[in-house]
Coordinates of all heavy atoms in Angstrom, one line a residue:
M1 N -10.2 23.0 36.3 CA -10.5 24.3 35.7 C -9.4 25.3 35.8 O -9.1 26.0 34.9 CB -11.8 24.9 36.5 CG -12.2 26.2 36.0 SD -13.3 25.9 34.5 CE -13.9 27.5 34.3
E2 N -8.7 25.2 36.9 CA -7.6 26.2 37.2 C -6.4 25.8 36.2 O -5.8 26.7 35.7 CB -7.1 26.1 38.6 CG -6.4 27.4 39.0 CD -6.3 27.5 40.5 OE1 -7.3 27.3 41.2 OE2 -5.2 27.8 40.9
S3 N -6.2 24.6 35.9 CA -5.1 24.2 35.0 C -5.4 24.7 33.6 O -4.4 25.1 32.9 CB -4.9 22.7 35.0 OG -6.0 22.0 34.4
T4 N -6.6 24.8 33.2 CA -7.0 25.4 31.9 C -6.6 26.9 31.8 O -6.1 27.3 30.8 CB -8.5 25.2 31.6 OG1 -8.8 23.8 31.7 CG2 -8.8 25.6 30.2
K5 N -6.9 27.6 32.9 CA -6.6 29.0 32.9 C -5.0 29.2 32.9 O -4.5 30.1 32.2 CB -7.1 29.6 34.2 CG -8.6 29.9 34.1 CD -9.1 30.6 35.4 CE -10.6 30.8 35.4 NZ -11.0 31.5 36.6
L6 N -4.3 28.3 33.6 CA -2.9 28.4 33.6 C -2.3 28.1 32.3 O -1.4 28.8 31.8 CB -2.3 27.4 34.7 CG -0.8 27.3 34.8 CD1 -0.3 28.7 35.3 CD2 -0.4 26.3 35.8
K7 N -2.8 27.1 31.6 CA -2.3 26.8 30.2 C -2.6 27.9 29.3 O -1.7 28.3 28.5 CB -3.0 25.5 29.7 CG -2.5 24.2 30.3 CD -3.3 23.0 29.7 CE -2.8 21.8 30.4 NZ -3.6 20.6 30.0
K8 N -3.8 28.5 29.3 CA -4.1 29.7 28.5 C -3.1 30.8 28.8 O -2.6 31.5 27.9 CB -5.5 30.1 28.7 CG -5.9 31.2 27.7 CD -7.3 31.6 27.9 CE -7.8 32.7 27.0 NZ -6.9 33.7 26.4
Y9 N -2.9 31.1 30.1 CA -1.9 32.1 30.4 C -0.6 31.9 29.9 O 0.1 32.8 29.3 CB -1.9 32.3 32.0 CG -0.8 33.2 32.5 CD1 -1.1 34.6 32.4 CD2 0.4 32.8 32.9 CE1 -0.1 35.5 32.8 CE2 1.3 33.6 33.4 CZ 1.1 35.0 33.3 OH 2.1 35.9 33.7
L10 N -0.1 30.6 30.0 CA 1.2 30.3 29.5 C 1.3 30.4 28.0 O 2.3 30.9 27.5 CB 1.6 28.9 30.0 CG 1.9 28.7 31.5 CD1 2.1 27.2 31.8 CD2 3.1 29.5 31.9
L11 N 0.3 30.0 27.3 CA 0.2 30.1 25.9 C 0.3 31.5 25.4 O 1.0 31.9 24.5 CB -1.0 29.4 25.3 CG -0.9 27.9 25.1 CD1 -2.2 27.3 24.6 CD2 0.2 27.5 24.1
D12 N -0.6 32.4 26.1 CA -0.6 33.8 25.8 C 0.8 34.4 26.0 O 1.3 35.2 25.2 CB -1.6 34.5 26.6 CG -3.1 34.2 26.2 OD1 -3.3 33.6 25.1 OD2 -4.0 34.5 27.1
E13 N 1.4 34.0 27.1 CA 2.8 34.5 27.4 C 3.8 34.1 26.3 O 4.6 34.9 25.9 CB 3.2 34.0 28.8 CG 4.6 34.4 29.2 CD 4.6 35.8 29.8 OE1 3.5 36.3 30.2 OE2 5.6 36.4 29.8
L14 N 3.7 32.8 25.9 CA 4.6 32.3 24.9 C 4.4 33.0 23.5 O 5.4 33.4 22.8 CB 4.5 30.8 24.7 CG 5.0 29.9 25.8 CD1 4.6 28.5 25.6 CD2 6.5 30.1 25.9
F15 N 3.1 33.2 23.1 CA 2.9 34.0 21.9 C 3.4 35.4 22.0 O 4.0 35.9 21.0 CB 1.3 34.0 21.6 CG 0.8 32.7 21.0 CD1 -0.2 32.0 21.7 CD2 1.3 32.2 19.8 CE1 -0.7 30.8 21.1 CE2 0.8 31.1 19.3 CZ -0.2 30.4 19.9
E16 N 3.2 36.0 23.1 CA 3.7 37.4 23.3 C 5.3 37.4 23.1 O 5.8 38.3 22.5 CB 3.3 37.9 24.6 CG 3.5 39.4 24.8 CD 3.0 39.9 26.2 OE1 1.8 39.6 26.4 OE2 3.7 40.5 26.9
Q17 N 5.9 36.5 23.8 CA 7.4 36.4 23.7 C 7.8 36.1 22.2 O 8.8 36.7 21.8 CB 7.9 35.3 24.6 CG 7.9 35.7 26.1 CD 8.4 34.6 27.0 OE1 9.0 33.6 26.5 NE2 8.1 34.7 28.3
R18 N 7.1 35.2 21.6 CA 7.5 34.9 20.2 C 7.3 36.2 19.3 O 8.2 36.5 18.5 CB 6.6 33.8 19.6 CG 7.1 33.4 18.2 CD 6.3 32.2 17.7 NE 5.0 32.7 17.3 CZ 4.0 31.9 16.7 NH1 4.3 30.7 16.6 NH2 2.9 32.4 16.4
E19 N 6.3 36.9 19.4 CA 6.0 38.1 18.6 C 7.1 39.1 18.9 O 7.6 39.8 18.0 CB 4.7 38.7 18.9 CG 3.6 37.9 18.3 CD 2.2 38.4 18.7 OE1 2.1 39.4 19.4 OE2 1.2 37.7 18.2
K20 N 7.5 39.3 20.2 CA 8.6 40.2 20.6 C 9.9 39.8 19.9 O 10.6 40.7 19.3 CB 8.7 40.2 22.1 CG 9.8 41.2 22.6 CD 10.0 41.1 24.1 CE 11.1 42.0 24.5 NZ 11.4 41.9 25.9
R21 N 10.2 38.5 19.9 CA 11.5 38.0 19.3 C 11.5 38.2 17.8 O 12.5 38.6 17.2 CB 11.7 36.6 19.6 CG 11.9 36.3 21.1 CD 13.2 36.8 21.6 NE 13.4 36.4 23.0 CZ 13.4 37.3 24.0 NH1 13.3 38.5 23.8 NH2 13.6 36.9 25.2
E22 N 10.3 38.0 17.2 CA 10.2 38.2 15.7 C 10.4 39.7 15.4 O 11.1 40.0 14.4 CB 8.8 37.7 15.3 CG 8.7 36.2 15.2 CD 7.3 35.7 14.8 OE1 6.4 36.5 14.7 OE2 7.2 34.5 14.7
R23 N 9.8 40.6 16.2 CA 10.0 42.0 15.9 C 11.5 42.4 16.1 O 12.1 43.2 15.3 CB 9.2 42.9 16.9 CG 7.7 42.9 16.5 CD 6.9 43.9 17.3 NE 7.0 43.8 18.7 CZ 6.2 43.0 19.5 NH1 5.2 42.3 18.9 NH2 6.4 42.9 20.8
E24 N 12.2 41.8 17.1 CA 13.6 42.1 17.3 C 14.4 41.6 16.2 O 15.3 42.3 15.7 CB 14.1 41.4 18.6 CG 13.6 42.1 19.9 CD 13.9 41.3 21.2 OE1 14.4 40.2 21.1 OE2 13.6 41.9 22.3
F25 N 14.1 40.4 15.7 CA 14.8 39.8 14.6 C 14.7 40.7 13.3 O 15.6 40.9 12.6 CB 14.3 38.4 14.3 CG 14.9 37.8 13.0 CD1 16.1 37.3 13.0 CD2 14.1 37.7 11.9 CE1 16.7 36.7 11.9 CE2 14.6 37.2 10.7 CZ 15.9 36.7 10.7
E26 N 13.4 41.1 13.0 CA 13.2 41.9 11.9 C 13.9 43.2 11.9 O 14.5 43.7 10.9 CB 11.7 42.2 11.7 CG 10.9 40.9 11.3 CD 9.4 41.1 11.3 OE1 8.9 42.2 11.6 OE2 8.7 40.1 11.0
A27 N 14.0 43.8 13.1 CA 14.8 45.1 13.3 C 16.3 44.9 13.1 O 16.9 45.7 12.4 CB 14.5 45.6 14.7
I28 N 16.8 43.8 13.6 CA 18.2 43.5 13.4 C 18.5 43.2 11.9 O 19.5 43.7 11.3 CB 18.7 42.3 14.2 CG1 18.7 42.7 15.7 CG2 20.0 41.8 13.8 CD1 18.8 41.6 16.7
Q29 N 17.6 42.5 11.2 CA 17.8 42.1 9.8 C 17.7 43.4 9.0 O 18.5 43.6 8.0 CB 16.7 41.1 9.4 CG 16.9 40.6 8.0 CD 15.8 39.5 7.7 OE1 14.7 39.6 8.1 NE2 16.2 38.5 6.9
L30 N 16.8 44.3 9.3 CA 16.7 45.6 8.5 C 17.9 46.4 8.7 O 18.4 46.9 7.7 CB 15.4 46.3 9.0 CG 15.2 47.7 8.4 CD1 15.0 47.6 6.9 CD2 14.1 48.4 9.0
A31 N 18.5 46.5 9.9 CA 19.7 47.3 10.1 C 20.9 46.7 9.4 O 21.6 47.4 8.7 CB 20.0 47.3 11.6
A32 N 21.0 45.3 9.3 CA 22.0 44.7 8.6 C 21.9 44.9 7.1 O 22.9 45.2 6.4 CB 22.1 43.2 8.9
T33 N 20.7 44.9 6.6 CA 20.4 45.1 5.2 C 20.8 46.6 4.8 O 21.4 46.8 3.8 CB 18.9 44.9 4.9 OG1 18.6 43.5 5.2 CG2 18.7 45.1 3.4
Q34 N 20.4 47.5 5.7 CA 20.8 48.9 5.4 C 22.3 49.1 5.4 O 22.8 49.9 4.6 CB 20.1 49.8 6.5 CG 18.6 49.9 6.3 CD 17.9 50.6 7.4 OE1 18.4 50.7 8.5 NE2 16.7 51.1 7.1
E35 N 23.0 48.5 6.4 CA 24.4 48.6 6.4 C 25.1 48.0 5.1 O 26.0 48.6 4.6 CB 25.0 47.9 7.6 CG 24.7 48.6 8.9 CD 25.2 47.8 10.1 OE1 26.1 46.9 10.0 OE2 24.7 48.0 11.2
L36 N 24.6 46.9 4.7 CA 25.1 46.3 3.5 C 24.8 47.2 2.3 O 25.7 47.4 1.4 CB 24.4 44.9 3.2 CG 24.9 44.2 2.0 CD1 26.4 43.9 2.0 CD2 24.1 42.9 1.9
Y37 N 23.7 47.8 2.2 CA 23.4 48.7 1.1 C 24.3 49.9 1.1 O 24.9 50.2 0.0 CB 21.9 49.2 1.2 CG 21.5 50.2 0.2 CD1 21.2 49.8 -1.1 CD2 21.6 51.6 0.4 CE1 20.8 50.7 -2.1 CE2 21.2 52.5 -0.5 CZ 20.9 52.1 -1.8 OH 20.6 53.0 -2.8
V38 N 24.6 50.5 2.2 CA 25.5 51.6 2.3 C 26.9 51.2 1.8 O 27.6 51.9 1.1 CB 25.6 52.2 3.7 CG1 26.7 53.2 3.9 CG2 24.2 52.9 4.0
E39 N 27.3 50.0 2.3 CA 28.6 49.5 1.9 C 28.7 49.2 0.4 O 29.7 49.5 -0.3 CB 28.9 48.2 2.7 CG 30.3 47.7 2.6 CD 30.6 46.5 3.5 OE1 30.0 46.4 4.6 OE2 31.5 45.7 3.2
L40 N 27.7 48.7 -0.2 CA 27.7 48.4 -1.7 C 27.7 49.7 -2.4 O 28.4 49.8 -3.5 CB 26.5 47.6 -2.1 CG 26.5 46.1 -1.7 CD1 25.1 45.5 -1.9 CD2 27.6 45.4 -2.4
V41 N 27.0 50.7 -2.0 CA 27.0 52.0 -2.6 C 28.4 52.6 -2.6 O 28.9 53.2 -3.6 CB 26.0 53.0 -2.0 CG1 26.2 54.4 -2.5 CG2 24.5 52.5 -2.4
S42 N 29.0 52.5 -1.4 CA 30.4 53.0 -1.3 C 31.4 52.3 -2.2 O 32.2 53.0 -2.8 CB 30.9 52.9 0.2 OG 30.1 53.6 1.0
L43 N 31.3 51.0 -2.3 CA 32.1 50.2 -3.2 C 31.9 50.6 -4.6 O 32.9 50.8 -5.4 CB 31.9 48.7 -3.0 CG 32.4 48.1 -1.8 CD1 32.0 46.7 -1.6 CD2 34.0 48.1 -1.8
A44 N 30.7 50.8 -5.0 CA 30.4 51.2 -6.4 C 31.0 52.6 -6.7 O 31.6 52.8 -7.7 CB 28.9 51.3 -6.6
Q45 N 30.9 53.5 -5.7 CA 31.4 54.9 -5.9 C 32.9 54.8 -6.0 O 33.5 55.5 -6.9 CB 31.0 55.8 -4.7 CG 29.6 56.2 -4.8 CD 29.2 57.0 -3.5 OE1 29.8 57.0 -2.5 NE2 28.0 57.7 -3.6
L46 N 33.6 53.9 -5.3 CA 35.0 53.8 -5.4 C 35.4 53.3 -6.8 O 36.5 53.7 -7.3 CB 35.6 52.8 -4.4 CG 35.7 53.3 -2.9 CD1 36.0 52.1 -2.0 CD2 36.7 54.4 -2.8
M47 N 34.6 52.5 -7.4 CA 34.8 52.0 -8.7 C 34.4 53.0 -9.8 O 34.7 52.8 -11.0 CB 34.1 50.7 -9.0 CG 34.6 49.6 -8.1 SD 33.5 48.1 -8.2 CE 33.8 47.6 -9.9
G48 N 33.8 54.1 -9.4 CA 33.3 55.1 -10.3 C 32.1 54.7 -11.1 O 31.9 55.2 -12.2
I49 N 31.2 53.9 -10.5 CA 30.0 53.4 -11.2 C 28.9 53.5 -10.2 O 29.1 53.8 -9.0 CB 30.1 52.0 -11.7 CG1 30.4 51.0 -10.5 CG2 31.2 51.9 -12.8 CD1 30.4 49.6 -10.9
T50 N 27.6 53.3 -10.7 CA 26.5 53.3 -9.9 C 26.3 52.0 -9.3 O 26.8 51.0 -9.8 CB 25.2 53.7 -10.7 OG1 24.9 52.7 -11.6 CG2 25.4 55.1 -11.3
L51 N 25.4 51.9 -8.3 CA 25.1 50.6 -7.7 C 24.4 49.7 -8.7 O 24.7 48.5 -8.8 CB 24.2 50.8 -6.4 CG 23.8 49.5 -5.7 CD1 25.0 48.7 -5.2 CD2 22.9 49.8 -4.5
R52 N 23.6 50.3 -9.5 CA 22.9 49.5 -10.6 C 23.9 48.9 -11.5 O 23.8 47.7 -11.9 CB 21.9 50.4 -11.4 CG 21.2 49.7 -12.5 CD 20.3 50.6 -13.3 NE 19.3 51.2 -12.4 CZ 18.0 50.7 -12.4 NH1 17.7 49.6 -13.1 NH2 17.1 51.2 -11.6
Q53 N 24.9 49.7 -11.9 CA 26.0 49.1 -12.8 C 26.7 48.0 -12.1 O 27.1 47.0 -12.7 CB 26.9 50.2 -13.2 CG 26.3 51.2 -14.2 CD 27.1 52.4 -14.4 OE1 27.8 52.9 -13.5 NE2 27.2 52.9 -15.6
L54 N 27.0 48.2 -10.8 CA 27.7 47.1 -10.1 C 26.9 45.8 -10.0 O 27.4 44.8 -10.3 CB 28.0 47.6 -8.6 CG 28.7 46.6 -7.7 CD1 30.1 46.3 -8.2 CD2 28.7 47.1 -6.3
M55 N 25.6 46.0 -9.8 CA 24.8 44.8 -9.7 C 24.6 44.1 -11.1 O 24.6 42.9 -11.2 CB 23.4 45.1 -9.2 CG 23.4 45.7 -7.8 SD 24.4 44.8 -6.6 CE 23.3 43.4 -6.3
Q56 N 24.6 44.9 -12.1 CA 24.5 44.3 -13.5 C 25.8 43.6 -13.8 O 25.8 42.5 -14.5 CB 24.3 45.4 -14.5 CG 22.8 45.9 -14.5 CD 22.6 47.1 -15.4 OE1 23.5 47.8 -15.8 NE2 21.4 47.4 -15.6
R57 N 26.9 44.0 -13.4 CA 28.2 43.3 -13.6 C 28.2 41.9 -13.0 O 28.7 41.0 -13.5 CB 29.4 44.1 -13.1 CG 29.7 45.3 -13.9 CD 30.9 46.0 -13.4 NE 31.2 47.2 -14.2 CZ 32.3 47.9 -14.1 NH1 33.2 47.6 -13.3 NH2 32.4 49.0 -14.9
G58 N 27.5 41.8 -11.8 CA 27.4 40.5 -11.2 C 26.6 39.5 -11.9 O 26.7 38.3 -11.7
T59 N 25.7 40.0 -12.8 CA 24.8 39.0 -13.5 C 25.2 38.9 -15.0 O 24.5 38.2 -15.7 CB 23.3 39.5 -13.4 OG1 23.2 40.8 -13.9 CG2 22.9 39.5 -11.9
A60 N 26.2 39.6 -15.4 CA 26.6 39.5 -16.8 C 27.1 38.1 -17.1 O 27.6 37.4 -16.3 CB 27.7 40.5 -17.1
P61 N 26.8 37.7 -18.4 CA 27.2 36.3 -18.8 C 28.8 36.2 -18.8 O 29.5 37.2 -18.9 CB 26.7 36.1 -20.2 CG 26.4 37.5 -20.7 CD 26.1 38.4 -19.4
G62 N 29.2 35.1 -18.5 CA 30.7 34.8 -18.5 C 31.3 35.0 -19.9 O 30.6 35.1 -20.9
P63 N 32.6 34.9 -20.0 CA 33.3 35.0 -21.3 C 32.9 33.8 -22.2 O 32.6 32.7 -21.7 CB 34.7 35.0 -20.9 CG 34.8 34.3 -19.6 CD 33.5 34.6 -18.9
L64 N 33.0 34.0 -23.5 CA 32.8 32.9 -24.5 C 33.8 31.9 -24.3 O 35.0 32.2 -24.0 CB 32.9 33.5 -25.9 CG 31.7 34.3 -26.4 CD1 31.9 34.7 -27.8 CD2 30.4 33.4 -26.4
F65 N 33.4 30.6 -24.4 CA 34.4 29.6 -24.3 C 34.6 29.0 -25.7 O 35.8 28.7 -26.1 CB 33.9 28.5 -23.4 CG 33.9 28.8 -21.9 CD1 32.8 29.1 -21.2 CD2 35.2 28.9 -21.3 CE1 32.9 29.5 -19.9 CE2 35.2 29.3 -20.0 CZ 34.1 29.6 -19.3
Y66 N 33.6 28.7 -26.5 CA 33.7 28.1 -27.8 C 32.9 28.8 -28.8 O 31.8 29.2 -28.6 CB 33.3 26.6 -27.7 CG 34.0 25.8 -26.6 CD1 33.4 25.7 -25.4 CD2 35.2 25.3 -26.8 CE1 34.0 25.0 -24.4 CE2 35.9 24.6 -25.9 CZ 35.3 24.4 -24.6 OH 35.9 23.7 -23.6
V67 N 33.5 29.0 -30.0 CA 32.8 29.6 -31.2 C 33.1 28.7 -32.4 O 34.2 28.3 -32.6 CB 33.4 31.0 -31.4 CG1 32.7 31.6 -32.7 CG2 33.1 31.9 -30.2
N68 N 32.0 28.4 -33.1 CA 32.1 27.6 -34.3 C 32.8 28.5 -35.4 O 32.2 29.5 -35.8 CB 30.7 27.2 -34.8 CG 30.7 26.3 -36.0 OD1 31.8 26.1 -36.6 ND2 29.6 25.7 -36.3
P69 N 34.0 28.1 -35.9 CA 34.6 28.9 -36.9 C 33.9 28.9 -38.2 O 34.1 29.8 -39.0 CB 36.0 28.3 -37.0 CG 35.9 26.9 -36.5 CD 34.7 26.9 -35.5
E70 N 33.0 28.0 -38.5 CA 32.3 27.9 -39.7 C 31.0 28.8 -39.6 O 30.4 29.1 -40.7 CB 31.9 26.5 -40.0 CG 33.1 25.6 -40.3 CD 32.8 24.1 -40.3 OE1 31.6 23.8 -40.2 OE2 33.8 23.4 -40.4
N71 N 30.6 29.2 -38.5 CA 29.4 30.0 -38.3 C 29.6 30.7 -36.9 O 29.2 30.1 -35.9 CB 28.1 29.2 -38.3 CG 26.9 30.1 -38.1 OD1 27.0 31.2 -37.8 ND2 25.7 29.4 -38.3
I72 N 30.1 31.9 -36.9 CA 30.5 32.5 -35.6 C 29.3 32.9 -34.7 O 29.4 33.2 -33.6 CB 31.4 33.8 -35.8 CG1 30.7 34.8 -36.6 CG2 32.7 33.4 -36.4 CD1 31.4 36.2 -36.7
S73 N 28.1 32.8 -35.3 CA 26.9 33.1 -34.5 C 26.6 31.9 -33.6 O 25.8 32.0 -32.6 CB 25.7 33.4 -35.4 OG 25.3 32.2 -36.1
Q74 N 27.2 30.7 -33.8 CA 27.1 29.6 -33.0 C 28.2 29.6 -31.9 O 29.3 29.4 -32.2 CB 27.1 28.3 -33.8 CG 26.0 28.2 -34.8 CD 26.1 26.9 -35.6 OE1 27.2 26.5 -35.9 NE2 24.9 26.3 -35.9
Q75 N 27.7 29.8 -30.7 CA 28.6 29.9 -29.6 C 28.2 29.1 -28.4 O 27.0 28.8 -28.3 CB 28.8 31.4 -29.2 CG 29.2 32.3 -30.3 CD 28.9 33.8 -30.0 OE1 28.4 34.1 -29.0 NE2 29.4 34.6 -30.9
W76 N 29.1 28.7 -27.6 CA 28.7 28.0 -26.3 C 29.6 28.4 -25.2 O 30.8 28.5 -25.4 CB 28.9 26.5 -26.6 CG 28.5 25.6 -25.4 CD1 27.2 25.6 -24.9 CD2 29.2 24.6 -24.8 NE1 27.2 24.6 -23.9 CE2 28.4 24.0 -23.8 CE3 30.6 24.2 -24.9 CZ2 28.9 23.0 -22.9 CZ3 31.0 23.2 -24.1 CH2 30.2 22.6 -23.1
R77 N 29.1 28.7 -24.1 CA 29.8 29.2 -22.9 C 30.2 28.1 -21.9 O 30.8 28.4 -20.9 CB 28.9 30.3 -22.2 CG 28.6 31.5 -23.0 CD 27.9 32.5 -22.2 NE 27.6 33.7 -23.0 CZ 28.4 34.6 -23.3 NH1 29.6 34.7 -22.9 NH2 28.0 35.6 -24.1
G78 N 30.0 26.9 -22.3 CA 30.5 25.8 -21.4 C 29.5 25.4 -20.4 O 29.8 24.6 -19.5
R79 N 28.3 25.9 -20.5 CA 27.2 25.6 -19.5 C 26.1 24.8 -20.2 O 25.7 25.1 -21.3 CB 26.6 26.8 -18.9 CG 27.6 27.6 -18.1 CD 27.0 28.8 -17.4 NE 28.0 29.7 -16.8 CZ 28.0 31.0 -17.0 NH1 27.1 31.6 -17.7 NH2 29.0 31.7 -16.5
G80 N 25.6 23.8 -19.5 CA 24.5 23.1 -20.1 C 25.0 22.0 -21.1 O 26.2 21.8 -21.2
A81 N 24.1 21.5 -21.9 CA 24.5 20.5 -22.9 C 25.3 21.1 -24.0 O 25.0 22.2 -24.4 CB 23.2 19.8 -23.4
K82 N 26.2 20.3 -24.5 CA 27.0 20.8 -25.7 C 26.1 20.9 -26.9 O 25.3 20.0 -27.1 CB 28.1 19.8 -26.0 CG 29.3 19.9 -25.0 CD 30.4 18.9 -25.5 CE 31.5 18.9 -24.4 NZ 32.5 17.9 -24.8
P83 N 26.2 22.0 -27.7 CA 25.4 22.1 -28.9 C 25.8 21.1 -29.9 O 26.9 20.6 -29.9 CB 25.7 23.6 -29.3 CG 27.0 23.9 -28.7 CD 27.1 23.1 -27.5
Q84 N 24.9 20.9 -30.9 CA 25.1 19.9 -31.9 C 26.4 20.2 -32.7 O 27.2 19.3 -33.0 CB 23.9 19.8 -32.8 CG 24.0 18.6 -33.8 CD 24.1 17.2 -33.1 OE1 23.4 17.0 -32.1 NE2 25.1 16.4 -33.5
W85 N 26.6 21.5 -33.0 CA 27.8 21.8 -33.9 C 29.1 21.4 -33.2 O 30.0 21.0 -33.8 CB 27.8 23.3 -34.3 CG 28.1 24.2 -33.1 CD1 27.2 24.9 -32.4 CD2 29.4 24.6 -32.6 NE1 27.8 25.7 -31.4 CE2 29.1 25.5 -31.5 CE3 30.7 24.3 -32.9 CZ2 30.1 26.1 -30.8 CZ3 31.7 24.9 -32.2 CH2 31.4 25.8 -31.2
L86 N 29.1 21.5 -31.8 CA 30.3 21.1 -31.1 C 30.4 19.6 -31.0 O 31.6 19.1 -31.1 CB 30.3 21.8 -29.7 CG 31.6 21.8 -28.9 CD1 32.7 22.4 -29.7 CD2 31.4 22.5 -27.6
L87 N 29.3 18.9 -30.9 CA 29.4 17.5 -30.9 C 29.8 16.9 -32.2 O 30.7 16.0 -32.3 CB 28.0 16.9 -30.6 CG 27.4 17.2 -29.1 CD1 26.0 16.7 -29.0 CD2 28.3 16.5 -28.1
D88 N 29.3 17.6 -33.3 CA 29.8 17.2 -34.7 C 31.3 17.5 -34.8 O 32.0 16.7 -35.5 CB 29.0 17.9 -35.7 CG 27.5 17.6 -35.7 OD1 27.2 16.5 -35.2 OD2 26.7 18.4 -36.3
W89 N 31.7 18.6 -34.3 CA 33.1 19.0 -34.4 C 34.0 17.9 -33.7 O 35.0 17.4 -34.3 CB 33.3 20.3 -33.7 CG 34.7 20.9 -33.7 CD1 35.7 20.7 -32.8 CD2 35.2 21.8 -34.7 NE1 36.8 21.4 -33.2 CE2 36.5 22.1 -34.4 CE3 34.7 22.3 -35.9 CZ2 37.3 22.9 -35.2 CZ3 35.5 23.1 -36.7 CH2 36.8 23.4 -36.3
Q90 N 33.6 17.5 -32.5 CA 34.4 16.4 -31.8 C 34.3 15.1 -32.5 O 35.2 14.3 -32.6 CB 33.9 16.3 -30.4 CG 34.3 17.4 -29.5 CD 33.8 17.2 -28.1 OE1 32.6 17.2 -27.8 NE2 34.7 17.1 -27.1
A91 N 33.1 14.8 -33.1 CA 32.9 13.5 -33.8 C 33.8 13.4 -35.0 O 34.2 12.3 -35.4 CB 31.5 13.3 -34.2
A92 N 34.1 14.6 -35.6 CA 35.0 14.6 -36.7 C 36.5 14.5 -36.3 O 37.4 14.5 -37.1 CB 34.8 15.9 -37.5
G93 N 36.7 14.3 -35.0 CA 38.1 14.1 -34.5 C 38.8 15.5 -34.3 O 40.1 15.4 -34.1
K94 N 38.1 16.6 -34.3 CA 38.8 17.9 -34.2 C 38.9 18.2 -32.7 O 38.0 17.9 -31.9 CB 38.0 18.9 -35.0 CG 38.0 18.7 -36.4 CD 37.1 19.7 -37.1 CE 37.0 19.4 -38.6 NZ 36.1 20.4 -39.3
S95 N 39.9 18.9 -32.4 CA 40.2 19.3 -31.0 C 39.3 20.5 -30.6 O 39.1 21.5 -31.3 CB 41.7 19.7 -30.8 OG 41.9 20.3 -29.6
L96 N 38.9 20.5 -29.3 CA 38.1 21.6 -28.8 C 39.0 22.9 -28.6 O 38.5 24.0 -28.7 CB 37.5 21.3 -27.4 CG 36.4 20.3 -27.4 CD1 36.0 20.0 -25.9 CD2 35.2 20.8 -28.2
D97 N 40.3 22.7 -28.5 CA 41.2 23.8 -28.4 C 41.1 24.7 -29.7 O 41.4 25.9 -29.6 CB 42.6 23.3 -28.2 CG 42.9 22.7 -26.9 OD1 42.1 23.1 -25.9 OD2 43.7 21.9 -26.7
M98 N 40.7 24.1 -30.8 CA 40.7 24.8 -32.1 C 39.5 25.8 -32.1 O 39.5 26.8 -32.8 CB 40.5 23.9 -33.3 CG 41.8 23.0 -33.4 SD 41.5 21.7 -34.7 CE 41.4 22.7 -36.2
V99 N 38.5 25.6 -31.2 CA 37.3 26.5 -31.2 C 37.2 27.3 -29.9 O 36.3 28.0 -29.7 CB 36.0 25.7 -31.5 CG1 36.0 25.2 -32.9 CG2 35.8 24.6 -30.5
R100 N 38.1 27.1 -29.0 CA 38.1 27.8 -27.7 C 38.6 29.2 -27.9 O 39.5 29.5 -28.6 CB 39.0 27.0 -26.7 CG 38.9 27.6 -25.4 CD 39.7 26.8 -24.4 NE 39.2 25.5 -24.4 CZ 39.5 24.5 -23.5 NH1 40.3 24.8 -22.6 NH2 39.0 23.4 -23.6
M101 N 37.9 30.1 -27.2 CA 38.3 31.5 -27.3 C 39.2 31.8 -26.1 O 39.2 31.3 -25.1 CB 37.0 32.4 -27.1 CG 36.1 32.3 -28.3 SD 36.8 32.8 -29.9 CE 37.0 34.5 -29.7

């Protein structure tokens, strides 16, 4: 009987310690996030833009890599499968350098 009480006490103690550590971790993580936010705002201000503009620059598509000279609306950035127009271009023996931007 006594060992059951001891186990329950130890489990309660362990749960309490775990909760305390989780709270400490969350507090440290929040402080680090706030510091990073302040740093990003400062960097954006140095660049003369808002934080929103800075974040949008990070997600902007990359530069164009290839454009079909026969139809400039057909473009490929070099990601994913090659489009059919580019495959046809290569099949005709034409160089990719001719359509590279």
